[in-house]
Amino acid sequence: MEDSVAPSKGADRIAFYALRGVTRLCDGVGVALVAAILLLIVSAVIARDLLGVGMPWTEEVASMLAIYAIGFGSISAWVRSEHLVVDLFSHKLSGLGKNVQYRLTALISCGFFVLAAWGAWIMSDMSANNKTVSLSISFSYLYYGVFFSFAVMALIAVWQTLRGPVAWLEAPSEEELTRS
């Protein structure tokens, strides 16, 4: 998407910049969270081994940061179509067939994302009174990260279903990558 040329006008131009902004934001936040996890783990090891000070709360915070980092990374990967895909017959479809397949896949994905977001919301409600041992943080905050990522991916999947495939979101094929 970074190498793509923005559409010249209309709703596609707005969508292009909105999705590019979302991916940049998600990438930046995800990298910051992973860096925070690494810093936290290194500081816990140094504190324990060199200073003899235990930091048992770091495991709880690292787990929460990891869930949010995965959520932001999933959103970015969904926009870029970088999730794992098994493509057995798409290359043999006509243009109309590819369009229908794209929309159907986005619609099915949207259904899955809505179901997963709903499950995360229910789990956040069910675990509201369960708290972590060291910091007494509600487990609901863990599920909020899962809910947020699935809800955003569901919104993007709705847009993909309604809009259909766009040239500026298509990933280059393996043949195009080997030719360059």
Side-chain angles (χ1 to χ4, degrees), residues 37-125:
I37 292 168
L38 291 173
L39 182 66
L40 187 63
I41 291 171
V42 167
S43 64
V45 169
I46 290 172
R48 182 188 66 226
D49 292 344
L50 295 180
L51 304 175
V53 178
M55 295 171 52
W57 55 269
T58 57
E59 182 181 341
E60 295 171 1
V61 174
S63 297
M64 188 176 298
L65 292 176
I67 288 171
Y68 280 87
I70 291 167
F72 280 104
S74 294
I75 293 167
S76 179
W78 181 252
V79 171
R80 293 179 179 157
S81 300
E82 291 179 348
H83 285 284
L84 291 176
V85 174
V86 177
D87 186 9
L88 299 176
F89 60 90
S90 296
H91 59 284
K92 297 187 187 253
L93 293 174
S94 66
L96 176 64
K98 286 181 182 179
N99 191 330
V100 169
Q101 180 196 22
Y102 180 88
R103 289 174 189 255
L104 185 62
T105 302
L107 183 63
I108 292 169
S109 298
C110 180
F112 169 76
F113 294 148
V114 167
L115 186 62
W118 178 62
W121 186 258
I122 297 233
M123 288 303 297
S124 70
D125 186 45

Coordinates of all heavy atoms in Angstrom, one line a residue, residues 37-125:
I37 N 7.5 -4.1 25.7 CA 7.6 -5.4 26.2 C 9.0 -5.8 26.4 O 9.4 -6.4 27.5 CB 6.9 -6.5 25.3 CG1 5.4 -6.2 25.3 CG2 7.2 -7.9 25.8 CD1 4.6 -6.9 24.3
L38 N 9.9 -5.6 25.4 CA 11.3 -6.0 25.5 C 12.0 -5.2 26.6 O 12.8 -5.8 27.4 CB 12.0 -5.7 24.1 CG 11.6 -6.7 23.0 CD1 12.2 -6.2 21.7 CD2 11.9 -8.1 23.3
L39 N 11.7 -3.9 26.7 CA 12.3 -3.1 27.7 C 11.9 -3.6 29.1 O 12.7 -3.6 30.0 CB 11.9 -1.6 27.5 CG 12.5 -0.6 28.5 CD1 14.0 -0.5 28.3 CD2 11.9 0.8 28.3
L40 N 10.6 -3.9 29.2 CA 10.1 -4.4 30.5 C 10.7 -5.7 30.9 O 11.1 -5.9 32.1 CB 8.6 -4.6 30.4 CG 7.8 -4.9 31.6 CD1 7.9 -3.7 32.6 CD2 6.3 -5.1 31.3
I41 N 10.9 -6.6 30.0 CA 11.5 -7.9 30.3 C 12.9 -7.8 30.6 O 13.4 -8.4 31.6 CB 11.2 -8.9 29.1 CG1 9.8 -9.3 29.1 CG2 12.1 -10.2 29.3 CD1 9.4 -10.0 27.8
V42 N 13.6 -7.0 29.9 CA 15.1 -6.8 30.2 C 15.3 -6.1 31.5 O 16.1 -6.5 32.3 CB 15.7 -5.9 29.0 CG1 17.1 -5.4 29.4 CG2 15.8 -6.7 27.8
S43 N 14.4 -5.1 31.8 CA 14.6 -4.4 33.1 C 14.2 -5.4 34.3 O 14.8 -5.3 35.3 CB 13.7 -3.2 33.2 OG 12.3 -3.5 33.1
A44 N 13.3 -6.3 34.1 CA 12.9 -7.3 35.1 C 14.1 -8.2 35.3 O 14.4 -8.6 36.5 CB 11.7 -8.0 34.7
V45 N 14.7 -8.7 34.3 CA 15.9 -9.6 34.4 C 17.0 -8.9 35.1 O 17.7 -9.4 36.0 CB 16.3 -10.1 33.0 CG1 17.6 -10.9 33.1 CG2 15.2 -11.1 32.5
I46 N 17.3 -7.7 34.7 CA 18.4 -6.9 35.3 C 18.1 -6.7 36.8 O 19.0 -6.8 37.6 CB 18.6 -5.6 34.5 CG1 19.3 -5.9 33.2 CG2 19.5 -4.7 35.3 CD1 19.4 -4.7 32.3
A47 N 16.9 -6.3 37.1 CA 16.5 -6.0 38.5 C 16.6 -7.3 39.3 O 17.1 -7.2 40.4 CB 15.1 -5.5 38.5
R48 N 16.2 -8.4 38.8 CA 16.2 -9.6 39.5 C 17.6 -10.2 39.7 O 18.1 -10.5 40.8 CB 15.4 -10.7 38.8 CG 15.3 -12.0 39.6 CD 14.6 -13.1 38.8 NE 15.4 -13.5 37.7 CZ 15.0 -13.6 36.4 NH1 13.7 -13.5 36.2 NH2 15.8 -13.9 35.4
D49 N 18.4 -10.2 38.6 CA 19.7 -10.8 38.6 C 20.8 -9.9 39.1 O 21.7 -10.4 39.8 CB 20.1 -11.3 37.2 CG 19.2 -12.5 36.8 OD1 18.6 -13.1 37.6 OD2 19.2 -12.8 35.6
L50 N 20.8 -8.7 38.8 CA 21.9 -7.8 39.3 C 21.6 -7.1 40.6 O 22.5 -6.8 41.4 CB 22.2 -6.7 38.2 CG 22.7 -7.3 36.9 CD1 23.0 -6.2 35.9 CD2 24.0 -8.1 37.1
L51 N 20.3 -6.7 40.8 CA 20.0 -5.9 41.9 C 19.3 -6.7 43.0 O 19.1 -6.2 44.1 CB 19.1 -4.7 41.5 CG 19.6 -3.8 40.4 CD1 18.6 -2.7 40.1 CD2 20.9 -3.1 40.9
G52 N 18.9 -7.9 42.7 CA 18.2 -8.8 43.6 C 16.8 -8.3 44.0 O 16.3 -8.6 45.1
V53 N 16.2 -7.5 43.1 CA 14.8 -7.0 43.3 C 13.9 -7.7 42.4 O 14.1 -7.7 41.2 CB 14.8 -5.4 43.1 CG1 13.4 -4.9 43.2 CG2 15.8 -4.7 43.9
G54 N 12.8 -8.2 43.0 CA 11.8 -8.9 42.2 C 10.8 -7.9 41.6 O 10.4 -7.0 42.3
M55 N 10.3 -8.2 40.4 CA 9.3 -7.4 39.8 C 8.2 -8.3 39.2 O 8.1 -8.5 38.0 CB 9.9 -6.5 38.7 CG 10.9 -5.5 39.2 SD 11.9 -4.6 37.9 CE 10.6 -4.0 36.7
P56 N 7.4 -8.9 40.1 CA 6.4 -9.9 39.6 C 5.3 -9.3 38.8 O 4.7 -10.0 38.0 CB 5.9 -10.5 40.9 CG 6.1 -9.4 42.0 CD 7.3 -8.7 41.6
W57 N 5.1 -8.1 38.8 CA 4.1 -7.4 38.0 C 4.4 -7.3 36.6 O 3.5 -7.1 35.7 CB 3.8 -6.0 38.6 CG 5.0 -5.2 38.7 CD1 5.8 -5.0 39.7 CD2 5.5 -4.3 37.6 NE1 6.8 -4.2 39.4 CE2 6.7 -3.7 38.2 CE3 5.1 -4.0 36.4 CZ2 7.4 -2.8 37.4 CZ3 5.8 -3.1 35.6 CH2 7.0 -2.5 36.1
T58 N 5.7 -7.5 36.2 CA 6.1 -7.3 34.8 C 5.4 -8.4 33.9 O 5.1 -8.1 32.8 CB 7.6 -7.4 34.7 OG1 8.1 -8.6 35.2 CG2 8.3 -6.3 35.4
E59 N 5.2 -9.6 34.4 CA 4.5 -10.6 33.6 C 3.1 -10.2 33.2 O 2.7 -10.4 32.1 CB 4.5 -11.9 34.4 CG 3.9 -13.1 33.6 CD 3.8 -14.4 34.4 OE1 4.6 -14.5 35.3 OE2 3.1 -15.2 33.9
E60 N 2.4 -9.6 34.2 CA 1.0 -9.2 33.9 C 1.0 -8.1 32.9 O 0.2 -8.1 31.9 CB 0.3 -8.7 35.2 CG 0.2 -9.8 36.2 CD -0.3 -9.4 37.6 OE1 -0.5 -8.1 37.7 OE2 -0.5 -10.2 38.5
V61 N 1.9 -7.1 33.0 CA 1.9 -6.0 32.1 C 2.4 -6.4 30.7 O 1.8 -6.0 29.7 CB 2.8 -4.8 32.7 CG1 3.0 -3.7 31.7 CG2 2.3 -4.3 34.0
A62 N 3.4 -7.3 30.7 CA 3.9 -7.8 29.4 C 2.8 -8.6 28.7 O 2.7 -8.4 27.4 CB 5.1 -8.7 29.6
S63 N 2.0 -9.4 29.4 CA 0.9 -10.1 28.7 C -0.1 -9.1 28.1 O -0.6 -9.3 27.0 CB 0.2 -11.0 29.7 OG 1.1 -12.0 30.2
M64 N -0.5 -8.1 28.9 CA -1.4 -7.1 28.4 C -0.9 -6.4 27.2 O -1.6 -6.2 26.2 CB -1.8 -6.2 29.5 CG -3.0 -5.3 29.1 SD -3.6 -4.2 30.4 CE -4.2 -5.3 31.6
L65 N 0.3 -6.0 27.3 CA 0.9 -5.2 26.1 C 1.0 -6.1 24.9 O 0.8 -5.7 23.8 CB 2.3 -4.7 26.5 CG 2.4 -3.6 27.6 CD1 3.9 -3.3 27.9 CD2 1.7 -2.4 27.1
A66 N 1.3 -7.4 25.1 CA 1.4 -8.4 24.0 C 0.0 -8.5 23.3 O 0.0 -8.5 22.0 CB 1.9 -9.7 24.4
I67 N -1.0 -8.6 24.0 CA -2.4 -8.7 23.5 C -2.7 -7.5 22.6 O -3.2 -7.6 21.5 CB -3.4 -9.0 24.6 CG1 -3.2 -10.4 25.1 CG2 -4.8 -8.8 24.0 CD1 -4.0 -10.7 26.3
Y68 N -2.4 -6.3 23.2 CA -2.7 -5.1 22.4 C -1.8 -5.0 21.2 O -2.2 -4.5 20.1 CB -2.6 -3.9 23.3 CG -3.8 -3.7 24.1 CD1 -3.9 -4.3 25.4 CD2 -4.8 -2.9 23.7 CE1 -5.1 -4.1 26.1 CE2 -6.0 -2.7 24.4 CZ -6.1 -3.3 25.7 OH -7.2 -3.1 26.4
A69 N -0.5 -5.4 21.3 CA 0.4 -5.4 20.1 C -0.1 -6.3 19.0 O -0.1 -5.9 17.8 CB 1.8 -5.8 20.6
I70 N -0.6 -7.5 19.4 CA -1.1 -8.4 18.4 C -2.4 -7.8 17.8 O -2.6 -8.0 16.6 CB -1.4 -9.8 19.1 CG1 -0.1 -10.5 19.4 CG2 -2.2 -10.7 18.2 CD1 -0.2 -11.6 20.4
G71 N -3.2 -7.2 18.6 CA -4.4 -6.6 18.0 C -4.1 -5.5 17.0 O -4.7 -5.5 15.9
F72 N -3.2 -4.6 17.3 CA -2.8 -3.6 16.4 C -2.2 -4.1 15.1 O -2.4 -3.7 14.0 CB -1.9 -2.5 17.0 CG -2.7 -1.5 17.9 CD1 -2.6 -1.6 19.3 CD2 -3.4 -0.5 17.3 CE1 -3.3 -0.7 20.1 CE2 -4.1 0.4 18.1 CZ -4.1 0.3 19.5
G73 N -1.3 -5.2 15.3 CA -0.7 -5.8 14.2 C -1.7 -6.5 13.3 O -1.5 -6.5 12.1
S74 N -2.7 -7.1 13.9 CA -3.7 -7.8 13.1 C -4.5 -6.8 12.2 O -4.9 -7.1 11.1 CB -4.7 -8.5 14.0 OG -4.0 -9.6 14.7
I75 N -4.8 -5.7 12.8 CA -5.5 -4.6 12.0 C -4.7 -4.2 10.8 O -5.2 -4.2 9.7 CB -5.9 -3.4 12.9 CG1 -6.9 -3.8 14.0 CG2 -6.4 -2.3 12.1 CD1 -7.1 -2.8 15.1
S76 N -3.4 -3.9 11.1 CA -2.6 -3.5 10.0 C -2.4 -4.6 8.9 O -2.5 -4.3 7.7 CB -1.2 -3.2 10.5 OG -0.3 -2.8 9.5
A77 N -2.3 -5.9 9.3 CA -2.2 -7.0 8.4 C -3.5 -7.2 7.6 O -3.4 -7.5 6.4 CB -1.8 -8.3 9.1
W78 N -4.6 -6.9 8.3 CA -5.9 -7.1 7.5 C -6.0 -6.1 6.4 O -6.4 -6.4 5.3 CB -7.1 -7.0 8.5 CG -8.4 -7.2 7.8 CD1 -9.3 -6.3 7.6 CD2 -8.9 -8.4 7.2 NE1 -10.4 -6.8 6.9 CE2 -10.1 -8.1 6.7 CE3 -8.4 -9.7 7.1 CZ2 -10.9 -9.0 6.0 CZ3 -9.2 -10.6 6.5 CH2 -10.4 -10.3 5.9
V79 N -5.7 -4.8 6.7 CA -5.8 -3.8 5.7 C -4.9 -4.1 4.5 O -5.2 -3.9 3.4 CB -5.4 -2.4 6.3 CG1 -5.3 -1.3 5.2 CG2 -6.4 -2.0 7.3
R80 N -3.7 -4.6 4.8 CA -2.7 -4.9 3.8 C -2.9 -6.2 3.1 O -2.1 -6.6 2.2 CB -1.3 -4.8 4.3 CG -0.9 -3.5 4.8 CD 0.5 -3.5 5.3 NE 0.9 -2.1 5.7 CZ 1.8 -1.9 6.6 NH1 2.4 -2.9 7.2 NH2 2.1 -0.6 6.9
S81 N -3.9 -7.0 3.6 CA -4.1 -8.4 3.1 C -2.9 -9.2 3.3 O -2.5 -10.0 2.4 CB -4.5 -8.4 1.6 OG -5.7 -7.6 1.4
E82 N -2.3 -9.2 4.4 CA -1.1 -9.9 4.7 C -1.3 -11.1 5.6 O -0.3 -11.7 6.1 CB 0.0 -9.0 5.3 CG 0.5 -8.0 4.2 CD 1.6 -7.1 4.8 OE1 1.8 -7.0 6.0 OE2 2.2 -6.4 4.0
H83 N -2.6 -11.4 6.0 CA -2.8 -12.6 6.7 C -2.6 -13.8 5.8 O -2.7 -13.7 4.6 CB -4.2 -12.6 7.3 CG -4.4 -11.7 8.4 ND1 -4.0 -12.0 9.7 CD2 -5.0 -10.5 8.6 CE1 -4.2 -11.0 10.5 NE2 -4.9 -10.1 9.9
L84 N -2.4 -15.0 6.4 CA -2.2 -16.2 5.6 C -3.4 -16.5 4.8 O -4.5 -16.4 5.3 CB -1.8 -17.4 6.6 CG -0.5 -17.3 7.3 CD1 -0.3 -18.5 8.2 CD2 0.6 -17.3 6.3
V85 N -3.1 -16.9 3.6 CA -4.2 -17.2 2.6 C -3.8 -18.5 1.9 O -2.7 -18.6 1.4 CB -4.5 -16.1 1.6 CG1 -5.5 -16.4 0.6 CG2 -4.9 -14.8 2.4
V86 N -4.8 -19.4 1.7 CA -4.6 -20.5 0.8 C -5.3 -20.2 -0.5 O -6.5 -20.1 -0.5 CB -5.1 -21.8 1.5 CG1 -4.9 -23.0 0.5 CG2 -4.4 -22.1 2.8
D87 N -4.5 -20.0 -1.5 CA -5.1 -19.7 -2.8 C -5.0 -20.8 -3.8 O -3.9 -21.1 -4.3 CB -4.4 -18.4 -3.3 CG -5.0 -17.9 -4.6 OD1 -6.1 -18.3 -4.9 OD2 -4.4 -17.0 -5.2
L88 N -6.1 -21.6 -3.9 CA -6.0 -22.8 -4.8 C -6.5 -22.5 -6.2 O -6.0 -23.1 -7.1 CB -6.8 -23.9 -4.2 CG -6.4 -24.4 -2.8 CD1 -7.3 -25.4 -2.3 CD2 -5.0 -24.9 -2.9
F89 N -7.4 -21.6 -6.4 CA -8.1 -21.5 -7.7 C -8.3 -20.0 -8.1 O -8.8 -19.8 -9.2 CB -9.4 -22.3 -7.7 CG -10.4 -21.8 -6.7 CD1 -11.3 -20.8 -7.0 CD2 -10.4 -22.4 -5.5 CE1 -12.2 -20.4 -6.1 CE2 -11.4 -22.0 -4.5 CZ -12.3 -21.0 -4.8
S90 N -8.0 -19.0 -7.3 CA -8.3 -17.7 -7.6 C -7.7 -17.2 -9.0 O -8.3 -16.4 -9.7 CB -7.8 -16.7 -6.5 OG -8.5 -17.0 -5.4
H91 N -6.5 -17.7 -9.2 CA -5.8 -17.3 -10.5 C -6.5 -17.8 -11.7 O -6.3 -17.3 -12.8 CB -4.3 -17.7 -10.5 CG -4.2 -19.2 -10.3 ND1 -4.4 -19.9 -9.1 CD2 -3.9 -20.2 -11.2 CE1 -4.2 -21.2 -9.3 NE2 -3.9 -21.4 -10.6
K92 N -7.4 -18.7 -11.6 CA -8.1 -19.3 -12.7 C -9.5 -18.6 -12.9 O -10.2 -18.9 -13.9 CB -8.3 -20.8 -12.6 CG -7.0 -21.5 -12.6 CD -7.2 -23.0 -12.6 CE -5.9 -23.7 -12.4 NZ -5.4 -24.3 -13.6
L93 N -9.9 -17.7 -12.0 CA -11.2 -17.1 -12.1 C -11.2 -15.9 -13.0 O -10.1 -15.2 -13.2 CB -11.6 -16.6 -10.7 CG -11.9 -17.7 -9.7 CD1 -12.2 -17.0 -8.3 CD2 -13.1 -18.5 -10.1
S94 N -12.3 -15.6 -13.6 CA -12.4 -14.4 -14.4 C -12.5 -13.1 -13.5 O -12.5 -13.3 -12.3 CB -13.7 -14.4 -15.2 OG -14.9 -14.4 -14.3
G95 N -12.5 -12.0 -14.1 CA -12.6 -10.7 -13.3 C -13.8 -10.7 -12.4 O -13.7 -10.3 -11.2
L96 N -14.9 -11.1 -12.9 CA -16.2 -11.1 -12.1 C -16.1 -12.2 -11.0 O -16.5 -11.9 -9.9 CB -17.4 -11.4 -13.0 CG -18.7 -11.6 -12.3 CD1 -19.1 -10.3 -11.7 CD2 -19.8 -12.1 -13.3
G97 N -15.5 -13.3 -11.3 CA -15.3 -14.4 -10.3 C -14.4 -13.9 -9.2 O -14.7 -14.2 -8.0
K98 N -13.3 -13.2 -9.5 CA -12.4 -12.7 -8.5 C -13.1 -11.6 -7.6 O -13.0 -11.6 -6.4 CB -11.2 -12.1 -9.1 CG -10.2 -13.1 -9.6 CD -9.0 -12.4 -10.2 CE -8.1 -13.5 -10.8 NZ -6.9 -12.9 -11.4
N99 N -14.0 -10.8 -8.3 CA -14.7 -9.8 -7.5 C -15.7 -10.4 -6.6 O -15.8 -10.0 -5.4 CB -15.5 -8.9 -8.5 CG -16.0 -7.7 -7.9 OD1 -16.4 -7.7 -6.7 ND2 -16.2 -6.6 -8.6
V100 N -16.4 -11.5 -7.0 CA -17.4 -12.2 -6.2 C -16.7 -12.9 -5.0 O -17.1 -12.8 -3.9 CB -18.2 -13.1 -7.0 CG1 -19.0 -14.1 -6.1 CG2 -19.1 -12.4 -8.0
Q101 N -15.5 -13.5 -5.4 CA -14.8 -14.2 -4.3 C -14.3 -13.2 -3.3 O -14.3 -13.5 -2.1 CB -13.6 -15.0 -5.0 CG -12.8 -15.7 -3.9 CD -11.4 -16.1 -4.4 OE1 -10.9 -15.6 -5.4 NE2 -10.9 -17.1 -3.8
Y102 N -13.8 -12.1 -3.7 CA -13.2 -11.1 -2.8 C -14.3 -10.6 -1.8 O -14.2 -10.6 -0.6 CB -12.7 -9.9 -3.6 CG -12.1 -8.8 -2.7 CD1 -10.8 -8.8 -2.3 CD2 -12.9 -7.7 -2.4 CE1 -10.3 -7.8 -1.6 CE2 -12.4 -6.7 -1.6 CZ -11.1 -6.7 -1.2 OH -10.6 -5.7 -0.4
R103 N -15.5 -10.3 -2.4 CA -16.6 -9.8 -1.6 C -17.1 -10.9 -0.6 O -17.5 -10.6 0.5 CB -17.7 -9.3 -2.5 CG -17.4 -8.0 -3.1 CD -18.5 -7.5 -4.1 NE -18.1 -6.4 -4.9 CZ -18.5 -5.2 -4.7 NH1 -19.4 -4.9 -3.8 NH2 -18.1 -4.2 -5.5
L104 N -17.2 -12.1 -1.1 CA -17.7 -13.2 -0.3 C -16.7 -13.5 0.8 O -17.1 -13.7 2.0 CB -17.9 -14.5 -1.1 CG -18.5 -15.7 -0.4 CD1 -19.9 -15.3 0.1 CD2 -18.6 -16.9 -1.4
T105 N -15.4 -13.5 0.5 CA -14.4 -13.7 1.6 C -14.5 -12.6 2.6 O -14.4 -12.8 3.8 CB -13.0 -13.7 0.9 OG1 -13.0 -14.8 0.0 CG2 -12.0 -14.0 2.0
A106 N -14.7 -11.3 2.2 CA -14.8 -10.2 3.1 C -16.0 -10.3 4.0 O -16.0 -10.0 5.2 CB -14.7 -8.9 2.3
L107 N -17.1 -10.8 3.4 CA -18.4 -10.9 4.1 C -18.3 -12.0 5.2 O -18.7 -11.8 6.3 CB -19.5 -11.2 3.1 CG -20.9 -11.3 3.8 CD1 -21.3 -10.0 4.4 CD2 -21.9 -11.7 2.7
I108 N -17.7 -13.2 4.8 CA -17.5 -14.3 5.7 C -16.5 -13.8 6.8 O -16.8 -14.1 8.0 CB -17.0 -15.5 5.0 CG1 -18.1 -16.1 4.1 CG2 -16.5 -16.6 6.0 CD1 -17.6 -17.1 3.1
S109 N -15.5 -13.1 6.5 CA -14.5 -12.6 7.5 C -15.2 -11.6 8.4 O -15.0 -11.7 9.6 CB -13.4 -11.9 6.8 OG -12.7 -12.9 6.0
C110 N -16.1 -10.8 7.9 CA -16.8 -9.8 8.7 C -17.6 -10.6 9.7 O -17.7 -10.2 10.9 CB -17.7 -8.9 7.8 SG -18.6 -7.7 8.8
G111 N -18.3 -11.6 9.3 CA -19.1 -12.4 10.2 C -18.3 -13.0 11.3 O -18.7 -13.0 12.5
F112 N -17.1 -13.6 10.9 CA -16.2 -14.1 12.0 C -15.7 -13.0 12.9 O -15.7 -13.2 14.1 CB -15.0 -14.8 11.3 CG -13.9 -15.1 12.2 CD1 -14.0 -16.2 13.1 CD2 -12.8 -14.3 12.3 CE1 -13.0 -16.5 14.0 CE2 -11.8 -14.6 13.2 CZ -11.9 -15.7 14.1
F113 N -15.3 -11.9 12.4 CA -14.8 -10.8 13.2 C -15.9 -10.3 14.2 O -15.6 -10.0 15.4 CB -14.3 -9.6 12.4 CG -13.1 -9.9 11.6 CD1 -12.9 -9.3 10.3 CD2 -12.2 -10.9 12.0 CE1 -11.8 -9.6 9.5 CE2 -11.1 -11.2 11.2 CZ -10.9 -10.5 10.0
V114 N -17.1 -10.2 13.7 CA -18.2 -9.7 14.6 C -18.5 -10.8 15.7 O -18.6 -10.4 16.9 CB -19.5 -9.5 13.8 CG1 -20.7 -9.3 14.7 CG2 -19.4 -8.2 12.9
L115 N -18.5 -12.0 15.3 CA -18.6 -13.1 16.3 C -17.5 -13.1 17.4 O -17.8 -13.2 18.6 CB -18.7 -14.4 15.6 CG -19.1 -15.6 16.5 CD1 -20.4 -15.5 17.1 CD2 -19.0 -16.9 15.7
A116 N -16.3 -12.9 16.9 CA -15.1 -12.9 17.8 C -15.2 -11.6 18.7 O -14.9 -11.7 19.9 CB -13.8 -12.9 17.0
A117 N -15.6 -10.5 18.1 CA -15.7 -9.3 18.9 C -16.8 -9.4 20.0 O -16.6 -9.0 21.1 CB -16.0 -8.1 18.0
W118 N -17.9 -10.0 19.6 CA -19.0 -10.2 20.5 C -18.5 -11.2 21.7 O -18.8 -10.9 22.8 CB -20.2 -10.8 19.8 CG -21.3 -11.1 20.7 CD1 -22.1 -10.3 21.4 CD2 -21.9 -12.4 20.9 NE1 -23.1 -10.9 22.1 CE2 -23.0 -12.3 21.8 CE3 -21.6 -13.7 20.4 CZ2 -23.8 -13.3 22.2 CZ3 -22.4 -14.7 20.8 CH2 -23.5 -14.6 21.7
G119 N -17.8 -12.2 21.3 CA -17.2 -13.1 22.3 C -16.3 -12.4 23.3 O -16.3 -12.7 24.5
A120 N -15.4 -11.6 22.7 CA -14.5 -10.8 23.6 C -15.3 -9.9 24.5 O -14.9 -9.7 25.7 CB -13.5 -10.0 22.7
W121 N -16.3 -9.2 24.0 CA -17.1 -8.3 24.8 C -17.8 -9.1 26.0 O -17.8 -8.7 27.1 CB -18.2 -7.6 24.0 CG -18.9 -6.6 24.7 CD1 -20.2 -6.7 25.2 CD2 -18.4 -5.3 25.1 NE1 -20.5 -5.6 25.9 CE2 -19.5 -4.7 25.8 CE3 -17.2 -4.6 24.9 CZ2 -19.3 -3.4 26.3 CZ3 -17.1 -3.4 25.4 CH2 -18.1 -2.8 26.1
I122 N -18.3 -10.3 25.7 CA -19.0 -11.1 26.7 C -18.0 -11.5 27.7 O -18.2 -11.5 28.9 CB -19.7 -12.3 26.0 CG1 -20.7 -11.9 25.1 CG2 -20.1 -13.3 27.0 CD1 -22.1 -12.4 25.2
M123 N -16.8 -11.9 27.3 CA -15.7 -12.4 28.2 C -15.3 -11.2 29.1 O -14.9 -11.4 30.2 CB -14.5 -13.0 27.4 CG -14.8 -14.3 26.9 SD -15.4 -15.5 28.1 CE -13.9 -15.6 29.1
S124 N -15.2 -10.0 28.5 CA -14.8 -8.8 29.3 C -15.9 -8.6 30.4 O -15.5 -8.2 31.5 CB -14.6 -7.6 28.5 OG -15.9 -7.2 28.0
D125 N -17.1 -8.8 30.1 CA -18.2 -8.6 31.1 C -18.1 -9.7 32.2 O -18.2 -9.5 33.4 CB -19.5 -8.6 30.4 CG -20.7 -8.3 31.4 OD1 -20.5 -7.4 32.2 OD2 -21.7 -9.0 31.3

